[in-house]
Amino acid sequence: MIYNKKAGAGYYQLRDMAISFVNAMKVGDEPGAYKKEACETGPSTYGAYHAAIILSLFDELKNFSSSDIDRWAQRINSLQCANGYYSNHPEDKQRERGIDRLDPVWHFTRGMLWTLYVLGRKPEKELSFMEPFLNKETMYKYVKSYDWSNSWAAGNQICALSTAMLALRDFYGVPYVDEVLEYGMFPALEELLDPETGYWGCQFGANLLNGQFGTIHVLPTYFAQAWEYRFLDKSVDSTIKCQNADGSFWPCGSDCPDFDGAYMLYNLSRLTDYRREDIEKAAKLYIGHAKQHFADDGVGFYIHRKDSKPEQWISRPHFIWHEGENRAREEIRDEDPKRDKIMLGSWFYPLSLALISGVLPDTGFEGPWRLTRGCLHECNVDLEPEI
């Protein structure tokens, strides 16, 4: 369990740095109006999404009135389209999407649903685009249809699909969601799990790091549904191999891969005693690395380690799904030295250190972390107390 009533000095430091960045990105007085980074000229949807989750993580949303939360949720729900999915493209507003046209909007839909989870509000429209997935055979075939040689890209889509399925259950009380997941999604995922690495997709050609990034998008569904995660020893071996000598999980650090590695370390530490000393050593190494992302001005977290130089950076790929294509395109970002902080870092570095505080005693990062299981990046094998 991550939650700890007693907060350490590190918890308060992380809170102050993260909230300072959120406040610095606020635009005007309208609830939910935030930039995701300083170079944006006005509020953005990802600013609204990440700000909500960061504030929720530190239980700061309680300081907003119910009407302000309603207006924040309205900002999110204004992006809901014809048959219930979410898109930030105006041309989608009246467009219905079938099961074969969802890839370009899965990631965005997932983020909007996670925002609603932490705000404690529902979508305005029913998620009718999800109706085909309530068939177990359709679910099975859909999961298997992805190219799992790119586990990172495929896992992201499955995480979004799971989010929407759980939203059907949690927001609308659809009674057979758990059954469809158990008898449709679970068998498909079990067939895609590599017994040699404990990761998804490696047997199809994904390298170990790509497999790790795919695996952390699949495992939250396993934990949400209390499914058994097999090949734990292999997963521990793989996770430790993925960590760099400086404690990072991407050269010179990067918010998503670093969080992914910390997620694996925490959850594996709760599932097995295999190589426990090595897991704890990796966790200690990660703390030293994460501190290299703490901004010197106390506002937010750097994209890259502050002891690194631009010529050392390796840009992290982003996988973008374009209309009519059945594979994601790789796009390279994060190489501009002028971009030094983004909102995502103020979520993932505190969250990753919260996870590490569950691996090691007395890190200083213990505290009353507020994790939202419906936001699957915050769903772990252990249940957290309701706050």
Side-chain angles (χ1 to χ4, degrees):
M1 188 171 70
I2 302 299
Y3 179 84
N4 192 319
K5 286 184 178 179
K6 183 179 179 181
Y11 171 86
Y12 291 116
Q13 181 185 14
L14 293 172
R15 183 197 65 182
D16 292 347
M17 293 171 71
I19 300 303
S20 292
F21 189 78
V22 170
N23 291 340
M25 293 299 102
K26 185 73 181 77
V27 179
D29 297 326
E30 186 64 24
Y34 295 88
K35 299 186 290 183
K36 70 174 176 65
E37 56 185 307
C39 65
E40 291 186 325
T41 58
S44 65
T45 304
Y46 276 83
Y49 154 31
H50 292 152
I53 293 182
I54 294 164
L55 292 168
S56 174
L57 184 64
F58 293 101
D59 201 22
E60 294 289 321
L61 286 175
K62 66 186 178 186
N63 298 322
F64 291 77
S65 68
S66 179
S67 62
D68 280 350
I69 296 294
D70 287 343
R71 289 160 68 189
W72 200 323
Q74 287 167 7
R75 174 180 289 273
I76 300 302
N77 279 326
S78 69
L79 298 164
Q80 197 173 18
C81 300
N83 57 332
Y85 67 92
Y86 289 79
S87 171
N88 58 350
H89 297 292
E91 63 270 23
D92 274 334
K93 190 66 177 175
Q94 303 304 322
R95 178 185 180 184
E96 292 196 0
R97 286 182 180 266
I99 192 171
D100 59 341
R101 293 290 183 267
L102 290 171
D103 279 322
V105 298
W106 267 133
H107 188 272
F108 192 83
T109 296
R110 183 184 83 187
M112 299 307 98
L113 291 173
W114 285 359
T115 308
L116 292 173
Y117 265 109
V118 301
L119 292 175
R121 299 296 186 269
K122 292 172 57 174
E124 286 186 355
K125 299 177 182 178
E126 291 189 0
L127 307 180
S128 56
F129 74 99
M130 290 296 295
E131 288 179 7
F133 294 105
L134 295 176
N135 177 281
K136 287 172 278 191
E137 184 177 354
T138 300
M139 173 67 77
Y140 173 87
K141 289 180 178 178
Y142 191 84
V143 173
K144 292 293 293 287
S145 72
Y146 281 103
D147 174 12
W148 284 86
S149 67
N150 187 345
S151 180
W152 195 347
N156 253 288
Q157 302 299 82
I158 298 308
C159 186
L161 171 57
S162 293
T163 295
M165 287 292 289
L166 296 176
L168 286 177
R169 182 192 68 191
D170 298 342
F171 292 146
Y172 300 105
V174 176
Y176 36 87
V177 165
D178 293 334
E179 180 181 344
V180 173
L181 290 173
E182 183 174 358
Y183 295 104
M185 180 179 285
F186 180 63
L189 290 174
E190 284 291 282
E191 293 172 13
L192 296 164
L193 176 58
D194 178 22
E196 295 302 314
T197 62
Y199 284 177
W200 272 268
C202 290
Q203 73 273 47
F204 303 114
N207 64 37
L208 205 58
L209 206 56
N210 184 288
Q212 180 180 90
F213 302 152
T215 295
I216 79 97
H217 288 90
V218 172
L219 275 182
T221 304
Y222 271 61
F223 299 150
Q225 297 304 106
W227 297 339
E228 180 187 1
Y229 177 33
R230 299 181 297 135
F231 312 121
L232 292 174
D233 291 3
K234 296 292 188 179
S235 184
V236 170
D237 292 340
S238 296
T239 298
I240 291 172
K241 285 180 184 177
C242 284
Q243 189 176 36
N244 296 315
D246 63 4
S248 69
F249 286 86
W250 190 263
C252 299
S254 182
D255 42 32
C256 284
D258 285 341
F259 162 73
D260 295 353
Y263 184 90
M264 293 303 299
L265 289 174
Y266 170 72
N267 284 291
L268 288 169
S269 78
R270 305 299 294 172
L271 287 165
T272 179
D273 287 325
Y274 174 70
R275 296 185 67 181
R276 177 160 297 278
E277 289 184 1
D278 290 329
I279 288 179
E280 291 177 354
K281 180 180 177 181
K284 290 175 184 175
L285 199 59
Y286 182 78
I287 292 175
H289 161 67
K291 288 180 176 179
Q292 286 293 324
H293 289 268
F294 289 15
D296 291 332
D297 62 2
V299 181
F301 299 80
Y302 294 131
I303 294 174
H304 305 283
R305 285 176 63 104
K306 55 190 173 185
D307 63 354
S308 67
K309 297 180 174 63
E311 56 267 26
Q312 298 174 287
W313 300 347
I314 297 177
S315 295
R316 177 169 62 84
H318 292 69
F319 294 103
I320 309 300
W321 298 82
H322 292 266
E323 296 290 348
E325 298 182 6
N326 61 6
R327 284 181 173 82
R329 293 189 200 176
E330 180 179 300
E331 296 185 3
I332 301 298
R333 306 178 189 173
D334 302 336
E335 70 276 9
D336 184 356
K338 296 174 184 175
R339 295 180 70 234
D340 62 342
K341 304 173 188 175
I342 58 175
M343 187 83 81
L344 188 61
S346 288
W347 177 19
F348 277 175
Y349 281 110
L351 180 57
S352 67
L353 287 167
L355 291 165
I356 295 300
S357 77
V359 179
L360 300 169
D362 303 321
T363 63
F365 299 114
E366 300 82 16
W369 298 99
R370 187 180 189 276
L371 305 186
T372 302
R373 284 180 74 80
C375 174
L376 287 178
H377 277 334
E378 296 185 356
C379 181
N380 299 293
V381 67
D382 289 326
L383 292 174
E384 298 291 324
E386 296 288 338
I387 301 177

PDB file of all heavy atoms in Angstrom, residues 85-102:
ATOM      1  N   TYR A  85     -17.437   8.790 -27.640  1.00  0.00           N
ATOM      2  CA  TYR A  85     -15.990   8.898 -27.507  1.00  0.00           C
ATOM      3  C   TYR A  85     -15.595  10.369 -27.369  1.00  0.00           C
ATOM      4  O   TYR A  85     -16.434  11.280 -27.488  1.00  0.00           O
ATOM      5  CB  TYR A  85     -15.284   8.246 -28.701  1.00  0.00           C
ATOM      6  CG  TYR A  85     -15.510   8.973 -30.021  1.00  0.00           C
ATOM      7  CD1 TYR A  85     -14.638   9.960 -30.462  1.00  0.00           C
ATOM      8  CD2 TYR A  85     -16.610   8.662 -30.839  1.00  0.00           C
ATOM      9  CE1 TYR A  85     -14.842  10.629 -31.655  1.00  0.00           C
ATOM     10  CE2 TYR A  85     -16.826   9.325 -32.030  1.00  0.00           C
ATOM     11  CZ  TYR A  85     -15.945  10.314 -32.435  1.00  0.00           C
ATOM     12  OH  TYR A  85     -16.165  10.991 -33.613  1.00  0.00           O
ATOM     13  N   TYR A  86     -14.323  10.623 -27.114  1.00  0.00           N
ATOM     14  CA  TYR A  86     -13.831  11.998 -26.954  1.00  0.00           C
ATOM     15  C   TYR A  86     -12.790  12.307 -28.028  1.00  0.00           C
ATOM     16  O   TYR A  86     -11.978  11.440 -28.398  1.00  0.00           O
ATOM     17  CB  TYR A  86     -13.200  12.198 -25.569  1.00  0.00           C
ATOM     18  CG  TYR A  86     -14.207  12.215 -24.441  1.00  0.00           C
ATOM     19  CD1 TYR A  86     -14.738  11.023 -23.945  1.00  0.00           C
ATOM     20  CD2 TYR A  86     -14.635  13.413 -23.872  1.00  0.00           C
ATOM     21  CE1 TYR A  86     -15.667  11.027 -22.910  1.00  0.00           C
ATOM     22  CE2 TYR A  86     -15.565  13.429 -22.839  1.00  0.00           C
ATOM     23  CZ  TYR A  86     -16.072  12.234 -22.363  1.00  0.00           C
ATOM     24  OH  TYR A  86     -16.990  12.253 -21.340  1.00  0.00           O
ATOM     25  N   SER A  87     -12.812  13.527 -28.512  1.00  0.00           N
ATOM     26  CA  SER A  87     -11.848  13.960 -29.513  1.00  0.00           C
ATOM     27  C   SER A  87     -11.676  15.472 -29.416  1.00  0.00           C
ATOM     28  O   SER A  87     -12.634  16.201 -29.134  1.00  0.00           O
ATOM     29  CB  SER A  87     -12.317  13.578 -30.920  1.00  0.00           C
ATOM     30  OG  SER A  87     -11.488  14.162 -31.903  1.00  0.00           O
ATOM     31  N   ASN A  88     -10.451  15.948 -29.671  1.00  0.00           N
ATOM     32  CA  ASN A  88     -10.213  17.393 -29.709  1.00  0.00           C
ATOM     33  C   ASN A  88     -10.209  17.927 -31.137  1.00  0.00           C
ATOM     34  O   ASN A  88      -9.764  19.051 -31.374  1.00  0.00           O
ATOM     35  CB  ASN A  88      -8.904  17.737 -28.999  1.00  0.00           C
ATOM     36  CG  ASN A  88      -7.693  17.041 -29.589  1.00  0.00           C
ATOM     37  OD1 ASN A  88      -7.843  16.152 -30.428  1.00  0.00           O
ATOM     38  ND2 ASN A  88      -6.508  17.423 -29.149  1.00  0.00           N
ATOM     39  N   HIS A  89     -10.728  17.144 -32.063  1.00  0.00           N
ATOM     40  CA  HIS A  89     -10.862  17.597 -33.450  1.00  0.00           C
ATOM     41  C   HIS A  89     -12.316  18.000 -33.704  1.00  0.00           C
ATOM     42  O   HIS A  89     -13.216  17.148 -33.616  1.00  0.00           O
ATOM     43  CB  HIS A  89     -10.448  16.491 -34.420  1.00  0.00           C
ATOM     44  CG  HIS A  89      -9.000  16.092 -34.288  1.00  0.00           C
ATOM     45  ND1 HIS A  89      -7.967  16.931 -34.635  1.00  0.00           N
ATOM     46  CD2 HIS A  89      -8.423  14.952 -33.827  1.00  0.00           C
ATOM     47  CE1 HIS A  89      -6.807  16.333 -34.415  1.00  0.00           C
ATOM     48  NE2 HIS A  89      -7.053  15.132 -33.912  1.00  0.00           N
ATOM     49  N   PRO A  90     -12.571  19.247 -34.012  1.00  0.00           N
ATOM     50  CA  PRO A  90     -13.961  19.718 -34.182  1.00  0.00           C
ATOM     51  C   PRO A  90     -14.749  18.912 -35.202  1.00  0.00           C
ATOM     52  O   PRO A  90     -15.962  18.738 -35.049  1.00  0.00           O
ATOM     53  CB  PRO A  90     -13.772  21.171 -34.639  1.00  0.00           C
ATOM     54  CG  PRO A  90     -12.435  21.581 -34.103  1.00  0.00           C
ATOM     55  CD  PRO A  90     -11.590  20.346 -34.161  1.00  0.00           C
ATOM     56  N   GLU A  91     -14.077  18.402 -36.222  1.00  0.00           N
ATOM     57  CA  GLU A  91     -14.796  17.651 -37.258  1.00  0.00           C
ATOM     58  C   GLU A  91     -15.360  16.337 -36.740  1.00  0.00           C
ATOM     59  O   GLU A  91     -16.205  15.707 -37.390  1.00  0.00           O
ATOM     60  CB  GLU A  91     -13.878  17.389 -38.461  1.00  0.00           C
ATOM     61  CG  GLU A  91     -12.653  16.538 -38.174  1.00  0.00           C
ATOM     62  CD  GLU A  91     -11.424  17.340 -37.750  1.00  0.00           C
ATOM     63  OE1 GLU A  91     -11.590  18.488 -37.262  1.00  0.00           O
ATOM     64  OE2 GLU A  91     -10.303  16.806 -37.900  1.00  0.00           O
ATOM     65  N   ASP A  92     -14.922  15.905 -35.542  1.00  0.00           N
ATOM     66  CA  ASP A  92     -15.436  14.670 -34.959  1.00  0.00           C
ATOM     67  C   ASP A  92     -16.735  14.870 -34.178  1.00  0.00           C
ATOM     68  O   ASP A  92     -17.387  13.880 -33.820  1.00  0.00           O
ATOM     69  CB  ASP A  92     -14.395  14.064 -34.001  1.00  0.00           C
ATOM     70  CG  ASP A  92     -13.388  13.182 -34.706  1.00  0.00           C
ATOM     71  OD1 ASP A  92     -13.726  12.633 -35.765  1.00  0.00           O
ATOM     72  OD2 ASP A  92     -12.262  13.049 -34.200  1.00  0.00           O
ATOM     73  N   LYS A  93     -17.105  16.094 -33.924  1.00  0.00           N
ATOM     74  CA  LYS A  93     -18.187  16.363 -32.975  1.00  0.00           C
ATOM     75  C   LYS A  93     -19.466  15.593 -33.311  1.00  0.00           C
ATOM     76  O   LYS A  93     -20.104  15.022 -32.422  1.00  0.00           O
ATOM     77  CB  LYS A  93     -18.473  17.869 -32.921  1.00  0.00           C
ATOM     78  CG  LYS A  93     -19.409  18.286 -31.812  1.00  0.00           C
ATOM     79  CD  LYS A  93     -18.782  18.046 -30.448  1.00  0.00           C
ATOM     80  CE  LYS A  93     -19.685  18.529 -29.328  1.00  0.00           C
ATOM     81  NZ  LYS A  93     -19.133  18.195 -27.989  1.00  0.00           N
ATOM     82  N   GLN A  94     -19.853  15.567 -34.569  1.00  0.00           N
ATOM     83  CA  GLN A  94     -21.084  14.877 -34.973  1.00  0.00           C
ATOM     84  C   GLN A  94     -20.807  13.543 -35.666  1.00  0.00           C
ATOM     85  O   GLN A  94     -21.710  12.953 -36.249  1.00  0.00           O
ATOM     86  CB  GLN A  94     -21.887  15.787 -35.916  1.00  0.00           C
ATOM     87  CG  GLN A  94     -22.249  17.143 -35.327  1.00  0.00           C
ATOM     88  CD  GLN A  94     -23.017  17.029 -34.021  1.00  0.00           C
ATOM     89  OE1 GLN A  94     -23.856  16.138 -33.864  1.00  0.00           O
ATOM     90  NE2 GLN A  94     -22.754  17.927 -33.083  1.00  0.00           N
ATOM     91  N   ARG A  95     -19.564  13.083 -35.574  1.00  0.00           N
ATOM     92  CA  ARG A  95     -19.176  11.863 -36.274  1.00  0.00           C
ATOM     93  C   ARG A  95     -19.286  10.649 -35.363  1.00  0.00           C
ATOM     94  O   ARG A  95     -18.773  10.654 -34.251  1.00  0.00           O
ATOM     95  CB  ARG A  95     -17.733  11.997 -36.767  1.00  0.00           C
ATOM     96  CG  ARG A  95     -17.187  10.763 -37.467  1.00  0.00           C
ATOM     97  CD  ARG A  95     -15.713  10.952 -37.812  1.00  0.00           C
ATOM     98  NE  ARG A  95     -15.167   9.788 -38.494  1.00  0.00           N
ATOM     99  CZ  ARG A  95     -13.897   9.654 -38.837  1.00  0.00           C
ATOM    100  NH1 ARG A  95     -13.041  10.622 -38.556  1.00  0.00           N
ATOM    101  NH2 ARG A  95     -13.478   8.564 -39.450  1.00  0.00           N
ATOM    102  N   GLU A  96     -19.945   9.619 -35.826  1.00  0.00           N
ATOM    103  CA  GLU A  96     -19.976   8.366 -35.104  1.00  0.00           C
ATOM    104  C   GLU A  96     -18.805   7.489 -35.565  1.00  0.00           C
ATOM    105  O   GLU A  96     -18.505   7.421 -36.753  1.00  0.00           O
ATOM    106  CB  GLU A  96     -21.301   7.635 -35.332  1.00  0.00           C
ATOM    107  CG  GLU A  96     -22.491   8.353 -34.705  1.00  0.00           C
ATOM    108  CD  GLU A  96     -23.716   7.462 -34.583  1.00  0.00           C
ATOM    109  OE1 GLU A  96     -23.627   6.269 -34.998  1.00  0.00           O
ATOM    110  OE2 GLU A  96     -24.734   7.927 -34.062  1.00  0.00           O
ATOM    111  N   ARG A  97     -18.162   6.852 -34.615  1.00  0.00           N
ATOM    112  CA  ARG A  97     -17.038   5.973 -34.932  1.00  0.00           C
ATOM    113  C   ARG A  97     -17.402   4.534 -34.576  1.00  0.00           C
ATOM    114  O   ARG A  97     -17.886   4.266 -33.484  1.00  0.00           O
ATOM    115  CB  ARG A  97     -15.777   6.384 -34.162  1.00  0.00           C
ATOM    116  CG  ARG A  97     -15.110   7.636 -34.694  1.00  0.00           C
ATOM    117  CD  ARG A  97     -13.842   7.959 -33.917  1.00  0.00           C
ATOM    118  NE  ARG A  97     -13.191   9.155 -34.429  1.00  0.00           N
ATOM    119  CZ  ARG A  97     -12.214   9.160 -35.335  1.00  0.00           C
ATOM    120  NH1 ARG A  97     -11.771   8.004 -35.814  1.00  0.00           N
ATOM    121  NH2 ARG A  97     -11.682  10.294 -35.745  1.00  0.00           N
ATOM    122  N   GLY A  98     -17.125   3.639 -35.519  1.00  0.00           N
ATOM    123  CA  GLY A  98     -17.309   2.226 -35.270  1.00  0.00           C
ATOM    124  C   GLY A  98     -16.046   1.617 -34.677  1.00  0.00           C
ATOM    125  O   GLY A  98     -15.019   2.286 -34.502  1.00  0.00           O
ATOM    126  N   ILE A  99     -16.114   0.326 -34.424  1.00  0.00           N
ATOM    127  CA  ILE A  99     -15.037  -0.375 -33.747  1.00  0.00           C
ATOM    128  C   ILE A  99     -13.718  -0.302 -34.516  1.00  0.00           C
ATOM    129  O   ILE A  99     -12.638  -0.346 -33.928  1.00  0.00           O
ATOM    130  CB  ILE A  99     -15.461  -1.831 -33.495  1.00  0.00           C
ATOM    131  CG1 ILE A  99     -14.508  -2.534 -32.534  1.00  0.00           C
ATOM    132  CG2 ILE A  99     -15.593  -2.594 -34.792  1.00  0.00           C
ATOM    133  CD1 ILE A  99     -14.999  -3.897 -32.093  1.00  0.00           C
ATOM    134  N   ASP A 100     -13.790  -0.161 -35.837  1.00  0.00           N
ATOM    135  CA  ASP A 100     -12.583  -0.135 -36.665  1.00  0.00           C
ATOM    136  C   ASP A 100     -12.051   1.275 -36.890  1.00  0.00           C
ATOM    137  O   ASP A 100     -11.110   1.461 -37.665  1.00  0.00           O
ATOM    138  CB  ASP A 100     -12.861  -0.805 -38.019  1.00  0.00           C
ATOM    139  CG  ASP A 100     -13.982  -0.120 -38.786  1.00  0.00           C
ATOM    140  OD1 ASP A 100     -14.770   0.617 -38.160  1.00  0.00           O
ATOM    141  OD2 ASP A 100     -14.083  -0.335 -40.017  1.00  0.00           O
ATOM    142  N   ARG A 101     -12.593   2.250 -36.208  1.00  0.00           N
ATOM    143  CA  ARG A 101     -12.166   3.641 -36.400  1.00  0.00           C
ATOM    144  C   ARG A 101     -11.813   4.326 -35.077  1.00  0.00           C
ATOM    145  O   ARG A 101     -11.761   5.556 -34.997  1.00  0.00           O
ATOM    146  CB  ARG A 101     -13.276   4.440 -37.116  1.00  0.00           C
ATOM    147  CG  ARG A 101     -13.514   4.005 -38.558  1.00  0.00           C
ATOM    148  CD  ARG A 101     -12.339   4.389 -39.443  1.00  0.00           C
ATOM    149  NE  ARG A 101     -12.556   4.046 -40.839  1.00  0.00           N
ATOM    150  CZ  ARG A 101     -12.178   2.911 -41.404  1.00  0.00           C
ATOM    151  NH1 ARG A 101     -11.561   1.980 -40.663  1.00  0.00           N
ATOM    152  NH2 ARG A 101     -12.398   2.682 -42.684  1.00  0.00           N
ATOM    153  N   LEU A 102     -11.539   3.539 -34.055  1.00  0.00           N
ATOM    154  CA  LEU A 102     -11.317   4.107 -32.726  1.00  0.00           C
ATOM    155  C   LEU A 102      -9.850   4.395 -32.409  1.00  0.00           C
ATOM    156  O   LEU A 102      -9.560   5.178 -31.493  1.00  0.00           O
ATOM    157  CB  LEU A 102     -11.886   3.171 -31.650  1.00  0.00           C
ATOM    158  CG  LEU A 102     -13.413   3.087 -31.604  1.00  0.00           C
ATOM    159  CD1 LEU A 102     -13.843   1.970 -30.661  1.00  0.00           C
ATOM    160  CD2 LEU A 102     -14.023   4.418 -31.159  1.00  0.00           C
TER     161      LEU A 102
END
